[in-house]
Amino acid sequence: MRAAVVRNFNEDLSIEEVADPPCPDNGVVLEVAACGVCRSDHHGWSGEHPRVKNGSILGHEYCGTVVEAGSRAKYAVGDRLIAPFILACGDCPACRRGVSNTCPDQIAPGFTAPGAYAQYVAVPFDHNLVHLPESLTPALAAGLGCRVTTSWHALTDRAAVQAGEWVAIHGTGGIGLAAALLAKALGAQVVVVDIVAEKLENARRLGADAAVDASQVDAAEAIREITGGGAQVSIEALGIEATTNASIECLAPLGRHVQVGLPTGRTARMNINMNAVYMKNLALYGTRGMPAWKYPSILGLIERGVVDLTPLVTREIALSGASAELKAMNGPTPPGTAVITDFTG
Ligand SMILES: [Zn+2]
Ligand SMILES: [Zn+2]
């Protein structure tokens, strides 16, 4: 099969013919229909992810059609499926408790196994997958594996957002924009923060109630003013120290910060304003992915037309175009995300 392979960090992915993936006994092989290019891929591409090395294949937000099924697979050849980026074992105490996104035996294609920047991807633990609804294009569905589900879980589970609350969102990339659209669907008031004017305008056009340009003003101060004392919930959607502190500092007393952005750097350490956490009695939540059992809640919302996620995907690209997208993430990026839908080009 054709795949985009990591050879040297920070350089173009190498487009190669590699062996087709073997079919796992407890899962399937998918012919990939679409795979998103995510900021988490940038961590792997730049050498910051400990499991990504020479020979790795990135790609963790994908959907496709089953071309081979193992003897213990749940799905059959021909099924069109969406995969979450965390493939949980289904059988450990965490999985049995319904918090399968924390499963210690999880497999994450694109990081701990070959990913979907390729024509085919092996998917073990296929009980995590769900049918791709007819109403969704593969390009849009690909985002459901990562940015949309991650945002959904952050808002509905970790922060437990209530209608009428102010939700601040720091960073309007794939995750941030998804969070803004979903928070609006939950009845919240949304203020978005970025340093790219075009992305702020885009978020405003898509329904954000207010926008703050952090390159021009102190974001936390501006949000406290807009919200009349601070946001109840703040979503950090980038993973750097400046936005994490802005997120903590923009909150009202008793506010909830959710760390959605994957912290950057090899050590992922940050210098955090713990005095604000202490003085304002804040809650800090981490979040990663979504337990697969929550798929019906988000798919239902999309299928009923409560939320329109089509603005999230702005570019459909070929496999050979992924490198340019990753390189572009070294700086501020344009609105929306890119999805690979052509695996021969
Ligand atoms: Zn992702
Ligand atoms: Zn498990």
Side-chain angles (χ1 to χ4, degrees), residues 220-240:
E221 197 181 304
I223 292 168
R224 288 196 304 269
E225 198 160 302
I226 289 165
T227 56
Q232 281 72 46
V233 172
S234 188
I235 303 288
E236 200 287 339
L238 192 59
I240 65 172

PDB file of all heavy atoms in Angstrom, residues 220-240:
ATOM      1  N   ALA A 220      -6.971  37.420  29.109  1.00  0.00           N
ATOM      2  CA  ALA A 220      -7.708  37.126  30.346  1.00  0.00           C
ATOM      3  C   ALA A 220      -8.496  38.354  30.806  1.00  0.00           C
ATOM      4  O   ALA A 220      -9.670  38.252  31.187  1.00  0.00           O
ATOM      5  CB  ALA A 220      -6.744  36.662  31.432  1.00  0.00           C
ATOM      6  N   GLU A 221      -7.844  39.512  30.759  1.00  0.00           N
ATOM      7  CA  GLU A 221      -8.496  40.748  31.181  1.00  0.00           C
ATOM      8  C   GLU A 221      -9.689  41.056  30.272  1.00  0.00           C
ATOM      9  O   GLU A 221     -10.769  41.419  30.745  1.00  0.00           O
ATOM     10  CB  GLU A 221      -7.460  41.870  31.114  1.00  0.00           C
ATOM     11  CG  GLU A 221      -7.818  43.122  31.885  1.00  0.00           C
ATOM     12  CD  GLU A 221      -6.719  44.184  31.719  1.00  0.00           C
ATOM     13  OE1 GLU A 221      -5.545  43.891  32.023  1.00  0.00           O
ATOM     14  OE2 GLU A 221      -7.053  45.276  31.241  1.00  0.00           O
ATOM     15  N   ALA A 222      -9.486  40.904  28.960  1.00  0.00           N
ATOM     16  CA  ALA A 222     -10.567  41.181  28.002  1.00  0.00           C
ATOM     17  C   ALA A 222     -11.763  40.268  28.253  1.00  0.00           C
ATOM     18  O   ALA A 222     -12.925  40.701  28.200  1.00  0.00           O
ATOM     19  CB  ALA A 222     -10.052  41.007  26.579  1.00  0.00           C
ATOM     20  N   ILE A 223     -11.495  39.003  28.552  1.00  0.00           N
ATOM     21  CA  ILE A 223     -12.589  38.048  28.787  1.00  0.00           C
ATOM     22  C   ILE A 223     -13.328  38.368  30.087  1.00  0.00           C
ATOM     23  O   ILE A 223     -14.556  38.309  30.148  1.00  0.00           O
ATOM     24  CB  ILE A 223     -12.050  36.593  28.798  1.00  0.00           C
ATOM     25  CG1 ILE A 223     -11.577  36.217  27.394  1.00  0.00           C
ATOM     26  CG2 ILE A 223     -13.111  35.625  29.300  1.00  0.00           C
ATOM     27  CD1 ILE A 223     -10.764  34.943  27.342  1.00  0.00           C
ATOM     28  N   ARG A 224     -12.574  38.729  31.110  1.00  0.00           N
ATOM     29  CA  ARG A 224     -13.233  39.085  32.382  1.00  0.00           C
ATOM     30  C   ARG A 224     -14.173  40.275  32.172  1.00  0.00           C
ATOM     31  O   ARG A 224     -15.254  40.348  32.756  1.00  0.00           O
ATOM     32  CB  ARG A 224     -12.185  39.383  33.463  1.00  0.00           C
ATOM     33  CG  ARG A 224     -11.454  38.126  33.959  1.00  0.00           C
ATOM     34  CD  ARG A 224     -10.712  38.365  35.278  1.00  0.00           C
ATOM     35  NE  ARG A 224      -9.766  39.466  35.201  1.00  0.00           N
ATOM     36  CZ  ARG A 224      -8.480  39.349  34.863  1.00  0.00           C
ATOM     37  NH1 ARG A 224      -7.981  38.147  34.571  1.00  0.00           N
ATOM     38  NH2 ARG A 224      -7.689  40.396  34.825  1.00  0.00           N
ATOM     39  N   GLU A 225     -13.756  41.197  31.293  1.00  0.00           N
ATOM     40  CA  GLU A 225     -14.589  42.370  30.999  1.00  0.00           C
ATOM     41  C   GLU A 225     -15.838  41.974  30.205  1.00  0.00           C
ATOM     42  O   GLU A 225     -16.959  42.333  30.560  1.00  0.00           O
ATOM     43  CB  GLU A 225     -13.754  43.366  30.207  1.00  0.00           C
ATOM     44  CG  GLU A 225     -14.323  44.776  30.209  1.00  0.00           C
ATOM     45  CD  GLU A 225     -13.257  45.790  29.843  1.00  0.00           C
ATOM     46  OE1 GLU A 225     -12.219  45.839  30.551  1.00  0.00           O
ATOM     47  OE2 GLU A 225     -13.448  46.481  28.837  1.00  0.00           O
ATOM     48  N   ILE A 226     -15.620  41.198  29.131  1.00  0.00           N
ATOM     49  CA  ILE A 226     -16.739  40.787  28.260  1.00  0.00           C
ATOM     50  C   ILE A 226     -17.788  39.998  29.038  1.00  0.00           C
ATOM     51  O   ILE A 226     -18.993  40.166  28.838  1.00  0.00           O
ATOM     52  CB  ILE A 226     -16.196  39.935  27.083  1.00  0.00           C
ATOM     53  CG1 ILE A 226     -15.410  40.816  26.116  1.00  0.00           C
ATOM     54  CG2 ILE A 226     -17.322  39.201  26.356  1.00  0.00           C
ATOM     55  CD1 ILE A 226     -14.541  40.034  25.135  1.00  0.00           C
ATOM     56  N   THR A 227     -17.324  39.147  29.941  1.00  0.00           N
ATOM     57  CA  THR A 227     -18.234  38.234  30.641  1.00  0.00           C
ATOM     58  C   THR A 227     -18.751  38.827  31.951  1.00  0.00           C
ATOM     59  O   THR A 227     -19.531  38.179  32.659  1.00  0.00           O
ATOM     60  CB  THR A 227     -17.516  36.904  30.961  1.00  0.00           C
ATOM     61  OG1 THR A 227     -16.330  37.207  31.729  1.00  0.00           O
ATOM     62  CG2 THR A 227     -17.091  36.177  29.693  1.00  0.00           C
ATOM     63  N   GLY A 228     -18.286  40.003  32.284  1.00  0.00           N
ATOM     64  CA  GLY A 228     -18.732  40.617  33.536  1.00  0.00           C
ATOM     65  C   GLY A 228     -18.200  39.887  34.753  1.00  0.00           C
ATOM     66  O   GLY A 228     -18.969  39.527  35.651  1.00  0.00           O
ATOM     67  N   GLY A 229     -16.909  39.597  34.771  1.00  0.00           N
ATOM     68  CA  GLY A 229     -16.308  38.995  35.965  1.00  0.00           C
ATOM     69  C   GLY A 229     -15.603  37.677  35.728  1.00  0.00           C
ATOM     70  O   GLY A 229     -15.037  37.112  36.649  1.00  0.00           O
ATOM     71  N   GLY A 230     -15.654  37.181  34.509  1.00  0.00           N
ATOM     72  CA  GLY A 230     -14.935  35.943  34.205  1.00  0.00           C
ATOM     73  C   GLY A 230     -15.848  34.857  33.661  1.00  0.00           C
ATOM     74  O   GLY A 230     -17.055  34.846  33.938  1.00  0.00           O
ATOM     75  N   ALA A 231     -15.253  33.973  32.885  1.00  0.00           N
ATOM     76  CA  ALA A 231     -15.999  32.850  32.309  1.00  0.00           C
ATOM     77  C   ALA A 231     -16.193  31.766  33.365  1.00  0.00           C
ATOM     78  O   ALA A 231     -15.400  31.652  34.296  1.00  0.00           O
ATOM     79  CB  ALA A 231     -15.241  32.288  31.107  1.00  0.00           C
ATOM     80  N   GLN A 232     -17.264  30.994  33.223  1.00  0.00           N
ATOM     81  CA  GLN A 232     -17.480  29.855  34.139  1.00  0.00           C
ATOM     82  C   GLN A 232     -16.622  28.662  33.723  1.00  0.00           C
ATOM     83  O   GLN A 232     -16.193  27.872  34.558  1.00  0.00           O
ATOM     84  CB  GLN A 232     -18.962  29.443  34.142  1.00  0.00           C
ATOM     85  CG  GLN A 232     -19.855  30.338  34.986  1.00  0.00           C
ATOM     86  CD  GLN A 232     -20.063  31.703  34.365  1.00  0.00           C
ATOM     87  OE1 GLN A 232     -20.334  31.829  33.173  1.00  0.00           O
ATOM     88  NE2 GLN A 232     -19.915  32.750  35.167  1.00  0.00           N
ATOM     89  N   VAL A 233     -16.412  28.558  32.417  1.00  0.00           N
ATOM     90  CA  VAL A 233     -15.641  27.431  31.883  1.00  0.00           C
ATOM     91  C   VAL A 233     -14.617  27.977  30.898  1.00  0.00           C
ATOM     92  O   VAL A 233     -14.916  28.909  30.141  1.00  0.00           O
ATOM     93  CB  VAL A 233     -16.567  26.424  31.152  1.00  0.00           C
ATOM     94  CG1 VAL A 233     -15.752  25.358  30.419  1.00  0.00           C
ATOM     95  CG2 VAL A 233     -17.526  25.775  32.143  1.00  0.00           C
ATOM     96  N   SER A 234     -13.409  27.420  30.913  1.00  0.00           N
ATOM     97  CA  SER A 234     -12.424  27.828  29.931  1.00  0.00           C
ATOM     98  C   SER A 234     -11.726  26.608  29.355  1.00  0.00           C
ATOM     99  O   SER A 234     -11.300  25.719  30.079  1.00  0.00           O
ATOM    100  CB  SER A 234     -11.401  28.778  30.559  1.00  0.00           C
ATOM    101  OG  SER A 234     -10.566  29.309  29.542  1.00  0.00           O
ATOM    102  N   ILE A 235     -11.678  26.580  28.037  1.00  0.00           N
ATOM    103  CA  ILE A 235     -11.099  25.457  27.315  1.00  0.00           C
ATOM    104  C   ILE A 235      -9.755  25.890  26.744  1.00  0.00           C
ATOM    105  O   ILE A 235      -9.691  26.831  25.948  1.00  0.00           O
ATOM    106  CB  ILE A 235     -12.023  25.043  26.135  1.00  0.00           C
ATOM    107  CG1 ILE A 235     -13.435  24.693  26.614  1.00  0.00           C
ATOM    108  CG2 ILE A 235     -11.386  23.919  25.316  1.00  0.00           C
ATOM    109  CD1 ILE A 235     -13.551  23.402  27.363  1.00  0.00           C
ATOM    110  N   GLU A 236      -8.680  25.221  27.137  1.00  0.00           N
ATOM    111  CA  GLU A 236      -7.366  25.494  26.557  1.00  0.00           C
ATOM    112  C   GLU A 236      -7.198  24.524  25.397  1.00  0.00           C
ATOM    113  O   GLU A 236      -7.186  23.313  25.596  1.00  0.00           O
ATOM    114  CB  GLU A 236      -6.265  25.303  27.605  1.00  0.00           C
ATOM    115  CG  GLU A 236      -4.965  26.003  27.254  1.00  0.00           C
ATOM    116  CD  GLU A 236      -4.175  25.337  26.134  1.00  0.00           C
ATOM    117  OE1 GLU A 236      -4.398  24.127  25.884  1.00  0.00           O
ATOM    118  OE2 GLU A 236      -3.324  25.997  25.533  1.00  0.00           O
ATOM    119  N   ALA A 237      -7.072  25.064  24.181  1.00  0.00           N
ATOM    120  CA  ALA A 237      -7.088  24.194  22.994  1.00  0.00           C
ATOM    121  C   ALA A 237      -5.830  24.329  22.164  1.00  0.00           C
ATOM    122  O   ALA A 237      -5.862  24.208  20.946  1.00  0.00           O
ATOM    123  CB  ALA A 237      -8.318  24.509  22.148  1.00  0.00           C
ATOM    124  N   LEU A 238      -4.709  24.599  22.810  1.00  0.00           N
ATOM    125  CA  LEU A 238      -3.454  24.739  22.070  1.00  0.00           C
ATOM    126  C   LEU A 238      -2.310  23.961  22.719  1.00  0.00           C
ATOM    127  O   LEU A 238      -1.534  23.305  22.029  1.00  0.00           O
ATOM    128  CB  LEU A 238      -3.099  26.238  21.959  1.00  0.00           C
ATOM    129  CG  LEU A 238      -1.992  26.613  20.989  1.00  0.00           C
ATOM    130  CD1 LEU A 238      -2.332  26.162  19.570  1.00  0.00           C
ATOM    131  CD2 LEU A 238      -1.752  28.119  21.017  1.00  0.00           C
ATOM    132  N   GLY A 239      -2.214  24.041  24.044  1.00  0.00           N
ATOM    133  CA  GLY A 239      -1.182  23.262  24.729  1.00  0.00           C
ATOM    134  C   GLY A 239       0.095  24.017  25.048  1.00  0.00           C
ATOM    135  O   GLY A 239       1.140  23.402  25.233  1.00  0.00           O
ATOM    136  N   ILE A 240       0.003  25.350  25.105  1.00  0.00           N
ATOM    137  CA  ILE A 240       1.204  26.111  25.485  1.00  0.00           C
ATOM    138  C   ILE A 240       0.956  26.907  26.766  1.00  0.00           C
ATOM    139  O   ILE A 240      -0.189  27.099  27.183  1.00  0.00           O
ATOM    140  CB  ILE A 240       1.679  27.050  24.345  1.00  0.00           C
ATOM    141  CG1 ILE A 240       0.644  28.142  24.054  1.00  0.00           C
ATOM    142  CG2 ILE A 240       1.999  26.258  23.079  1.00  0.00           C
ATOM    143  CD1 ILE A 240       1.140  29.198  23.081  1.00  0.00           C
TER     144      ILE A 240
END
